Amino acid sequence: MALREIKLYQQDEVLRKKSKVVDEINDKILQLLDDMLETMYHANGVGLAAPQVGILKRIVVIDVGDGPIELINPEIVDSKGEQEEVEGCLSIPGLSGKVKRPQWVKVRALNRKGEKIELEGTDLLAIALCHEIDHLDGVLYIDKVIPGTLEG
């Protein structure tokens, strides 16, 4: 495993690009998952998307305190409710702001073995899933922040 450099907003345009679907889960993808988890934990984050380490692949890792979640080609297939919470981002250090997100989401993805999985998340996990999947489409939380709530 190795720490990867976290790309910073306004310094790297990779954060604004759309990520490509992972066609094959190989050793390189497995190494990326391991490195992303190590990088996320080292930075005290709860989520990290591959574009944040400069890789335009549809891969995210999340840990909201219940253990690591690794998702390849994740997509939100259902959502319900609404919540407004303060978000930050490892790629935008020193800033935070309130964002409106679903209270509950259902996500389909592949795990590291290539198996299809479904995951449901509420509260913080729902926020993390939405936030990280947004990264895969070049969308940052500051694009969705409630006006007047961005602080730093």
Side-chain angles (χ1 to χ4, degrees), residues 32-64:
L32 176 59
L33 282 166
D34 292 341
D35 291 354
M36 285 174 61
L37 279 171
E38 184 176 357
T39 301
M40 177 188 73
Y41 289 131
H42 184 262
N44 295 315
V46 297
L48 191 67
Q52 291 180 274
V53 293
I55 309 291
L56 285 173
K57 295 285 187 184
R58 298 189 75 79
I59 298 173
V60 304
V61 296
I62 294 170
D63 189 342
V64 296

Side-chain angles (χ1 to χ4, degrees), residues 52-121:
Q52 291 180 274
V53 293
I55 309 291
L56 285 173
K57 295 285 187 184
R58 298 189 75 79
I59 298 173
V60 304
V61 296
I62 294 170
D63 189 342
V64 296
D66 300 322
I69 297 169
E70 301 171 324
L71 301 172
I72 300 168
N73 300 332
E75 58 180 326
I76 296 171
V77 294
D78 198 6
S79 64
K80 293 181 187 152
E82 192 176 278
Q83 60 179 324
E84 286 181 17
E85 293 294 335
V86 174
E87 292 186 28
C89 182
L90 295 175
S91 292
I92 311 172
L95 282 181
S96 62
K98 274 193 176 184
V99 179
K100 194 179 290 187
R101 301 271 192 194
Q103 183 72 35
W104 171 89
V105 295
K106 181 190 283 187
V107 173
R108 285 194 188 125
L110 299 175
N111 65 16
R112 68 169 34 236
K113 296 177 185 174
E115 300 164 335
K116 291 180 182 178
I117 59 170
E118 267 191 9
L119 173 68
E120 295 182 27

Side-chain angles (χ1 to χ4, degrees), residues 114-140:
E115 300 164 335
K116 291 180 182 178
I117 59 170
E118 267 191 9
L119 173 68
E120 295 182 27
T122 58
D123 305 322
L124 180 57
L125 181 53
I127 292 168
L129 287 164
C130 292
H131 180 113
E132 299 310 329
I133 291 170
D134 274 355
H135 271 297
L136 304 180
D137 294 316
V139 176
L140 303 175

